[in-house]
mmCIF file of all heavy atoms in Angstrom:
data_model
loop_
_atom_site.group_PDB
_atom_site.id
_atom_site.type_symbol
_atom_site.label_atom_id
_atom_site.label_comp_id
_atom_site.label_asym_id
_atom_site.label_seq_id
_atom_site.Cartn_x
_atom_site.Cartn_y
_atom_site.Cartn_z
ATOM 1 N N SER A 50 -40.263 27.984 -38.300
ATOM 2 C CA SER A 50 -39.250 27.513 -37.312
ATOM 3 C C SER A 50 -37.883 27.399 -38.004
ATOM 4 O O SER A 50 -37.809 26.929 -39.165
ATOM 5 C CB SER A 50 -39.665 26.187 -36.709
ATOM 6 O OG SER A 50 -38.780 25.830 -35.679
ATOM 7 N N ASN A 51 -36.842 27.802 -37.306
ATOM 8 C CA ASN A 51 -35.493 27.685 -37.830
ATOM 9 C C ASN A 51 -34.719 26.644 -37.057
ATOM 10 O O ASN A 51 -34.545 26.722 -35.840
ATOM 11 C CB ASN A 51 -34.760 29.041 -37.620
ATOM 12 C CG ASN A 51 -35.460 30.187 -38.344
ATOM 13 O OD1 ASN A 51 -35.937 29.986 -39.481
ATOM 14 N ND2 ASN A 51 -35.507 31.351 -37.746
ATOM 15 N N LEU A 52 -34.336 25.586 -37.807
ATOM 16 C CA LEU A 52 -33.654 24.439 -37.178
ATOM 17 C C LEU A 52 -32.237 24.370 -37.748
ATOM 18 O O LEU A 52 -32.050 23.978 -38.916
ATOM 19 C CB LEU A 52 -34.381 23.128 -37.464
ATOM 20 C CG LEU A 52 -35.851 23.038 -36.970
ATOM 21 C CD1 LEU A 52 -36.805 23.515 -38.008
ATOM 22 C CD2 LEU A 52 -36.190 21.630 -36.541
ATOM 23 N N PHE A 53 -31.275 24.802 -36.954
ATOM 24 C CA PHE A 53 -29.885 24.823 -37.434
ATOM 25 C C PHE A 53 -29.048 23.795 -36.665
ATOM 26 O O PHE A 53 -28.782 23.997 -35.486
ATOM 27 C CB PHE A 53 -29.289 26.245 -37.342
ATOM 28 C CG PHE A 53 -29.685 27.121 -38.497
ATOM 29 C CD1 PHE A 53 -31.064 27.528 -38.649
ATOM 30 C CD2 PHE A 53 -28.791 27.483 -39.460
ATOM 31 C CE1 PHE A 53 -31.426 28.274 -39.770
ATOM 32 C CE2 PHE A 53 -29.182 28.209 -40.572
ATOM 33 C CZ PHE A 53 -30.507 28.648 -40.708
ATOM 34 N N PHE A 54 -28.674 22.695 -37.356
ATOM 35 C CA PHE A 54 -27.846 21.666 -36.755
ATOM 36 C C PHE A 54 -26.408 21.838 -36.984
ATOM 37 O O PHE A 54 -25.580 21.037 -36.575
ATOM 38 C CB PHE A 54 -28.403 20.271 -37.241
ATOM 39 C CG PHE A 54 -29.827 20.037 -36.897
ATOM 40 C CD1 PHE A 54 -30.832 20.271 -37.816
ATOM 41 C CD2 PHE A 54 -30.185 19.647 -35.596
ATOM 42 C CE1 PHE A 54 -32.142 20.085 -37.489
ATOM 43 C CE2 PHE A 54 -31.530 19.429 -35.268
ATOM 44 C CZ PHE A 54 -32.527 19.658 -36.232
ATOM 45 N N GLU A 55 -26.083 22.817 -37.869
ATOM 46 C CA GLU A 55 -24.693 23.272 -38.057
ATOM 47 C C GLU A 55 -24.675 24.750 -37.728
ATOM 48 O O GLU A 55 -25.683 25.451 -37.960
ATOM 49 C CB GLU A 55 -24.252 23.103 -39.506
ATOM 50 C CG GLU A 55 -23.842 21.699 -39.909
ATOM 51 C CD GLU A 55 -23.153 21.681 -41.262
ATOM 52 O OE1 GLU A 55 -23.296 22.654 -42.072
ATOM 53 O OE2 GLU A 55 -22.465 20.692 -41.568
ATOM 54 N N ASN A 56 -23.563 25.244 -37.219
ATOM 55 C CA ASN A 56 -23.483 26.628 -36.839
ATOM 56 C C ASN A 56 -23.689 27.594 -37.989
ATOM 57 O O ASN A 56 -23.354 27.244 -39.120
ATOM 58 C CB ASN A 56 -22.136 26.914 -36.164
ATOM 59 C CG ASN A 56 -22.033 26.171 -34.824
ATOM 60 O OD1 ASN A 56 -22.998 25.736 -34.283
ATOM 61 N ND2 ASN A 56 -20.787 26.079 -34.322
ATOM 62 N N SER A 57 -24.169 28.755 -37.663
ATOM 63 C CA SER A 57 -24.467 29.734 -38.710
ATOM 64 C C SER A 57 -24.642 31.107 -38.021
ATOM 65 O O SER A 57 -25.223 31.167 -36.943
ATOM 66 C CB SER A 57 -25.763 29.386 -39.399
ATOM 67 O OG SER A 57 -26.216 30.452 -40.172
ATOM 68 N N THR A 58 -24.177 32.107 -38.656
ATOM 69 C CA THR A 58 -24.465 33.496 -38.239
ATOM 70 C C THR A 58 -25.369 34.172 -39.282
ATOM 71 O O THR A 58 -26.475 34.593 -39.007
ATOM 72 C CB THR A 58 -23.187 34.308 -37.988
ATOM 73 O OG1 THR A 58 -22.408 33.685 -36.981
ATOM 74 C CG2 THR A 58 -23.507 35.772 -37.566
ATOM 75 N N ARG A 59 -24.810 34.226 -40.514
ATOM 76 C CA ARG A 59 -25.495 34.964 -41.605
ATOM 77 C C ARG A 59 -26.861 34.320 -41.970
ATOM 78 O O ARG A 59 -27.895 34.983 -41.975
ATOM 79 C CB ARG A 59 -24.620 35.020 -42.848
ATOM 80 C CG ARG A 59 -23.630 36.099 -42.852
ATOM 81 C CD ARG A 59 -22.366 35.627 -43.602
ATOM 82 N NE ARG A 59 -21.751 34.619 -42.730
ATOM 83 C CZ ARG A 59 -20.813 34.928 -41.788
ATOM 84 N NH1 ARG A 59 -20.401 36.143 -41.703
ATOM 85 N NH2 ARG A 59 -20.319 34.010 -41.026
ATOM 86 N N THR A 60 -26.839 33.035 -42.302
ATOM 87 C CA THR A 60 -28.055 32.393 -42.816
ATOM 88 C C THR A 60 -29.134 32.381 -41.729
ATOM 89 O O THR A 60 -30.279 32.741 -41.969
ATOM 90 C CB THR A 60 -27.728 30.944 -43.272
ATOM 91 O OG1 THR A 60 -26.610 31.035 -44.122
ATOM 92 C CG2 THR A 60 -28.909 30.376 -44.037
ATOM 93 N N HIS A 61 -28.727 31.976 -40.499
ATOM 94 C CA HIS A 61 -29.694 31.849 -39.414
ATOM 95 C C HIS A 61 -30.338 33.194 -39.091
ATOM 96 O O HIS A 61 -31.579 33.383 -39.134
ATOM 97 C CB HIS A 61 -28.993 31.296 -38.227
ATOM 98 C CG HIS A 61 -29.907 30.782 -37.138
ATOM 99 N ND1 HIS A 61 -29.538 29.891 -36.166
ATOM 100 C CD2 HIS A 61 -31.221 31.087 -36.894
ATOM 101 C CE1 HIS A 61 -30.576 29.638 -35.379
ATOM 102 N NE2 HIS A 61 -31.564 30.351 -35.774
ATOM 103 N N HIS A 62 -29.504 34.190 -38.884
ATOM 104 C CA HIS A 62 -30.065 35.496 -38.422
ATOM 105 C C HIS A 62 -30.736 36.265 -39.559
ATOM 106 O O HIS A 62 -31.701 36.966 -39.309
ATOM 107 C CB HIS A 62 -28.971 36.296 -37.726
ATOM 108 C CG HIS A 62 -28.552 35.681 -36.425
ATOM 109 N ND1 HIS A 62 -29.394 35.579 -35.363
ATOM 110 C CD2 HIS A 62 -27.412 35.078 -36.056
ATOM 111 C CE1 HIS A 62 -28.781 34.944 -34.371
ATOM 112 N NE2 HIS A 62 -27.556 34.638 -34.775
ATOM 113 N N SER A 63 -30.234 36.088 -40.774
ATOM 114 C CA SER A 63 -30.960 36.803 -41.861
ATOM 115 C C SER A 63 -32.289 36.156 -42.147
ATOM 116 O O SER A 63 -33.257 36.843 -42.469
ATOM 117 C CB SER A 63 -30.122 36.981 -43.089
ATOM 118 O OG SER A 63 -29.699 35.724 -43.586
ATOM 119 N N PHE A 64 -32.396 34.852 -42.017
ATOM 120 C CA PHE A 64 -33.758 34.209 -42.135
ATOM 121 C C PHE A 64 -34.639 34.713 -41.001
ATOM 122 O O PHE A 64 -35.812 35.021 -41.253
ATOM 123 C CB PHE A 64 -33.666 32.642 -42.078
ATOM 124 C CG PHE A 64 -33.660 32.051 -43.480
ATOM 125 C CD1 PHE A 64 -32.581 31.344 -43.944
ATOM 126 C CD2 PHE A 64 -34.740 32.168 -44.314
ATOM 127 C CE1 PHE A 64 -32.554 30.777 -45.212
ATOM 128 C CE2 PHE A 64 -34.772 31.618 -45.601
ATOM 129 C CZ PHE A 64 -33.643 30.870 -46.035
ATOM 130 N N HIS A 65 -34.131 34.805 -39.813
ATOM 131 C CA HIS A 65 -34.929 35.270 -38.674
ATOM 132 C C HIS A 65 -35.414 36.685 -38.926
ATOM 133 O O HIS A 65 -36.601 37.022 -38.732
ATOM 134 C CB HIS A 65 -34.114 35.159 -37.387
ATOM 135 C CG HIS A 65 -34.937 35.374 -36.142
ATOM 136 N ND1 HIS A 65 -34.852 34.575 -35.025
ATOM 137 C CD2 HIS A 65 -35.882 36.323 -35.841
ATOM 138 C CE1 HIS A 65 -35.762 34.984 -34.117
ATOM 139 N NE2 HIS A 65 -36.345 36.059 -34.555
ATOM 140 N N GLU A 68 -38.029 36.711 -41.668
ATOM 141 C CA GLU A 68 -39.326 36.186 -41.174
ATOM 142 C C GLU A 68 -40.052 37.267 -40.374
ATOM 143 O O GLU A 68 -41.248 37.495 -40.554
ATOM 144 C CB GLU A 68 -39.048 34.936 -40.237
ATOM 145 C CG GLU A 68 -38.686 33.701 -41.032
ATOM 146 C CD GLU A 68 -37.822 32.733 -40.287
ATOM 147 O OE1 GLU A 68 -37.448 32.981 -39.111
ATOM 148 O OE2 GLU A 68 -37.474 31.672 -40.867
ATOM 149 N N GLU A 77 -37.642 29.631 -32.687
ATOM 150 C CA GLU A 77 -36.253 29.166 -32.834
ATOM 151 C C GLU A 77 -36.151 27.773 -32.215
ATOM 152 O O GLU A 77 -36.750 27.494 -31.178
ATOM 153 C CB GLU A 77 -35.278 30.118 -32.101
ATOM 154 C CG GLU A 77 -35.051 31.405 -32.887
ATOM 155 C CD GLU A 77 -34.428 31.200 -34.298
ATOM 156 O OE1 GLU A 77 -33.941 30.067 -34.566
ATOM 157 O OE2 GLU A 77 -34.472 32.135 -35.117
ATOM 158 N N PHE A 78 -35.451 26.871 -32.867
ATOM 159 C CA PHE A 78 -35.361 25.500 -32.396
ATOM 160 C C PHE A 78 -33.950 25.201 -31.861
ATOM 161 O O PHE A 78 -32.974 25.373 -32.618
ATOM 162 C CB PHE A 78 -35.644 24.581 -33.631
ATOM 163 C CG PHE A 78 -35.698 23.131 -33.307
ATOM 164 C CD1 PHE A 78 -36.823 22.504 -32.835
ATOM 165 C CD2 PHE A 78 -34.551 22.376 -33.406
ATOM 166 C CE1 PHE A 78 -36.818 21.175 -32.514
ATOM 167 C CE2 PHE A 78 -34.505 21.012 -33.114
ATOM 168 C CZ PHE A 78 -35.672 20.435 -32.643
ATOM 169 N N ASP A 79 -33.894 24.845 -30.618
ATOM 170 C CA ASP A 79 -32.605 24.576 -30.006
ATOM 171 C C ASP A 79 -32.443 23.047 -29.917
ATOM 172 O O ASP A 79 -33.147 22.369 -29.097
ATOM 173 C CB ASP A 79 -32.567 25.203 -28.589
ATOM 174 C CG ASP A 79 -31.269 24.876 -27.825
ATOM 175 O OD1 ASP A 79 -30.459 24.096 -28.344
ATOM 176 O OD2 ASP A 79 -31.154 25.375 -26.738
ATOM 177 N N ALA A 80 -31.623 22.477 -30.786
ATOM 178 C CA ALA A 80 -31.521 21.006 -30.883
ATOM 179 C C ALA A 80 -31.124 20.393 -29.532
ATOM 180 O O ALA A 80 -31.696 19.348 -29.130
ATOM 181 C CB ALA A 80 -30.477 20.614 -31.952
ATOM 182 N N GLN A 81 -30.269 21.055 -28.773
ATOM 183 C CA GLN A 81 -29.802 20.490 -27.494
ATOM 184 C C GLN A 81 -30.948 20.420 -26.486
ATOM 185 O O GLN A 81 -30.956 19.538 -25.638
ATOM 186 C CB GLN A 81 -28.669 21.371 -26.897
ATOM 187 C CG GLN A 81 -27.383 21.369 -27.694
ATOM 188 C CD GLN A 81 -26.835 19.945 -27.935
ATOM 189 O OE1 GLN A 81 -26.879 19.137 -27.018
ATOM 190 N NE2 GLN A 81 -26.429 19.659 -29.152
ATOM 191 N N CYS A 106 -40.364 25.420 -42.310
ATOM 192 C CA CYS A 106 -39.184 25.028 -41.581
ATOM 193 C C CYS A 106 -37.910 25.327 -42.355
ATOM 194 O O CYS A 106 -37.781 24.861 -43.481
ATOM 195 C CB CYS A 106 -39.204 23.503 -41.208
ATOM 196 S SG CYS A 106 -40.402 23.086 -39.989
ATOM 197 N N VAL A 107 -37.082 26.211 -41.822
ATOM 198 C CA VAL A 107 -35.787 26.483 -42.438
ATOM 199 C C VAL A 107 -34.788 25.573 -41.718
ATOM 200 O O VAL A 107 -34.676 25.613 -40.496
ATOM 201 C CB VAL A 107 -35.400 27.990 -42.246
ATOM 202 C CG1 VAL A 107 -34.040 28.240 -42.812
ATOM 203 C CG2 VAL A 107 -36.433 28.895 -42.828
ATOM 204 N N ILE A 108 -34.079 24.765 -42.489
ATOM 205 C CA ILE A 108 -33.253 23.719 -41.867
ATOM 206 C C ILE A 108 -31.817 23.786 -42.432
ATOM 207 O O ILE A 108 -31.635 23.861 -43.647
ATOM 208 C CB ILE A 108 -33.811 22.296 -42.135
ATOM 209 C CG1 ILE A 108 -35.253 22.215 -41.651
ATOM 210 C CG2 ILE A 108 -32.940 21.231 -41.413
ATOM 211 C CD1 ILE A 108 -35.960 20.897 -41.988
ATOM 212 N N ARG A 109 -30.840 23.777 -41.555
ATOM 213 C CA ARG A 109 -29.464 23.535 -41.949
ATOM 214 C C ARG A 109 -28.975 22.241 -41.273
ATOM 215 O O ARG A 109 -29.160 22.058 -40.066
ATOM 216 C CB ARG A 109 -28.517 24.671 -41.537
ATOM 217 C CG ARG A 109 -27.080 24.316 -41.796
ATOM 218 C CD ARG A 109 -26.091 25.461 -41.579
ATOM 219 N NE ARG A 109 -26.192 26.416 -42.634
ATOM 220 C CZ ARG A 109 -25.352 27.442 -42.748
ATOM 221 N NH1 ARG A 109 -24.399 27.628 -41.869
ATOM 222 N NH2 ARG A 109 -25.474 28.313 -43.753
ATOM 223 N N SER A 110 -28.430 21.358 -42.066
ATOM 224 C CA SER A 110 -27.968 20.066 -41.549
ATOM 225 C C SER A 110 -26.660 19.690 -42.217
ATOM 226 O O SER A 110 -26.371 20.090 -43.337
ATOM 227 C CB SER A 110 -29.024 19.011 -41.895
ATOM 228 O OG SER A 110 -28.498 17.726 -41.703
ATOM 229 N N GLY A 111 -25.889 18.925 -41.524
ATOM 230 C CA GLY A 111 -24.614 18.426 -42.094
ATOM 231 C C GLY A 111 -24.830 17.224 -43.029
ATOM 232 O O GLY A 111 -23.911 16.793 -43.738
ATOM 233 N N VAL A 130 -37.262 24.787 -46.330
ATOM 234 C CA VAL A 130 -36.327 25.707 -46.944
ATOM 235 C C VAL A 130 -34.924 25.274 -46.488
ATOM 236 O O VAL A 130 -34.641 25.265 -45.322
ATOM 237 C CB VAL A 130 -36.654 27.179 -46.560
ATOM 238 C CG1 VAL A 130 -35.610 28.099 -47.205
ATOM 239 C CG2 VAL A 130 -38.059 27.566 -46.951
ATOM 240 N N ASN A 131 -34.124 24.907 -47.479
ATOM 241 C CA ASN A 131 -32.774 24.406 -47.146
ATOM 242 C C ASN A 131 -31.829 25.529 -46.823
ATOM 243 O O ASN A 131 -31.485 26.318 -47.746
ATOM 244 C CB ASN A 131 -32.283 23.555 -48.345
ATOM 245 C CG ASN A 131 -30.940 22.918 -48.109
ATOM 246 O OD1 ASN A 131 -30.422 22.943 -46.945
ATOM 247 N ND2 ASN A 131 -30.353 22.333 -49.162
ATOM 248 N N GLY A 132 -31.356 25.580 -45.630
ATOM 249 C CA GLY A 132 -30.376 26.550 -45.223
ATOM 250 C C GLY A 132 -28.968 26.038 -45.347
ATOM 251 O O GLY A 132 -27.998 26.631 -44.794
ATOM 252 N N GLY A 133 -28.798 24.928 -46.108
ATOM 253 C CA GLY A 133 -27.456 24.350 -46.308
ATOM 254 C C GLY A 133 -27.474 22.879 -45.897
ATOM 255 O O GLY A 133 -27.889 22.592 -44.758
ATOM 256 N N HIS A 139 -26.750 25.184 -51.137
ATOM 257 C CA HIS A 139 -27.018 26.328 -50.293
ATOM 258 C C HIS A 139 -27.794 27.348 -51.138
ATOM 259 O O HIS A 139 -27.243 28.379 -51.561
ATOM 260 C CB HIS A 139 -25.705 26.930 -49.791
ATOM 261 C CG HIS A 139 -25.830 27.816 -48.611
ATOM 262 N ND1 HIS A 139 -27.007 28.397 -48.185
ATOM 263 C CD2 HIS A 139 -24.851 28.326 -47.751
ATOM 264 C CE1 HIS A 139 -26.811 29.150 -47.130
ATOM 265 N NE2 HIS A 139 -25.515 29.145 -46.856
ATOM 266 N N SER A 141 -30.240 29.578 -50.777
ATOM 267 C CA SER A 141 -30.452 30.994 -50.411
ATOM 268 C C SER A 141 -29.182 31.801 -50.563
ATOM 269 O O SER A 141 -29.199 32.961 -50.941
ATOM 270 C CB SER A 141 -31.039 31.099 -49.009
ATOM 271 O OG SER A 141 -30.173 30.707 -48.020
ATOM 272 N N ARG A 172 -20.905 23.788 -50.615
ATOM 273 C CA ARG A 172 -22.246 23.823 -51.138
ATOM 274 C C ARG A 172 -22.522 25.105 -51.914
ATOM 275 O O ARG A 172 -23.356 25.136 -52.784
ATOM 276 C CB ARG A 172 -23.247 23.637 -49.997
ATOM 277 C CG ARG A 172 -23.082 24.584 -48.804
ATOM 278 C CD ARG A 172 -23.844 24.106 -47.608
ATOM 279 N NE ARG A 172 -23.572 24.920 -46.442
ATOM 280 C CZ ARG A 172 -23.619 24.401 -45.159
ATOM 281 N NH1 ARG A 172 -23.830 23.158 -44.960
ATOM 282 N NH2 ARG A 172 -23.435 25.203 -44.134
ATOM 283 N N ARG A 296 -33.858 36.429 -48.658
ATOM 284 C CA ARG A 296 -34.618 35.466 -47.874
ATOM 285 C C ARG A 296 -36.053 35.926 -47.665
ATOM 286 O O ARG A 296 -36.990 35.118 -47.552
ATOM 287 C CB ARG A 296 -33.870 35.193 -46.548
ATOM 288 C CG ARG A 296 -32.620 34.345 -46.865
ATOM 289 C CD ARG A 296 -31.603 34.206 -45.859
ATOM 290 N NE ARG A 296 -30.510 33.290 -46.379
ATOM 291 C CZ ARG A 296 -29.218 33.560 -46.343
ATOM 292 N NH1 ARG A 296 -28.734 34.661 -45.777
ATOM 293 N NH2 ARG A 296 -28.361 32.695 -46.855
#
Side-chain angles (χ1 to χ4, degrees):
S50 186
N51 299 322
L52 300 91
F53 278 69
F54 300 99
E55 280 192 342
N56 292 344
S57 166
T58 298
R59 279 146 287 271
T60 312
H61 195 160
H62 292 294
S63 57
F64 263 116
H65 191 134
E68 287 153 356
E77 285 299 346
F78 183 87
D79 177 356
Q81 294 305 318
C106 287
V107 178
I108 305 174
R109 172 173 287 187
S110 166
V130 179
N131 183 10
H139 197 345
S141 64
R172 52 195 173 211
R296 288 168 177 131

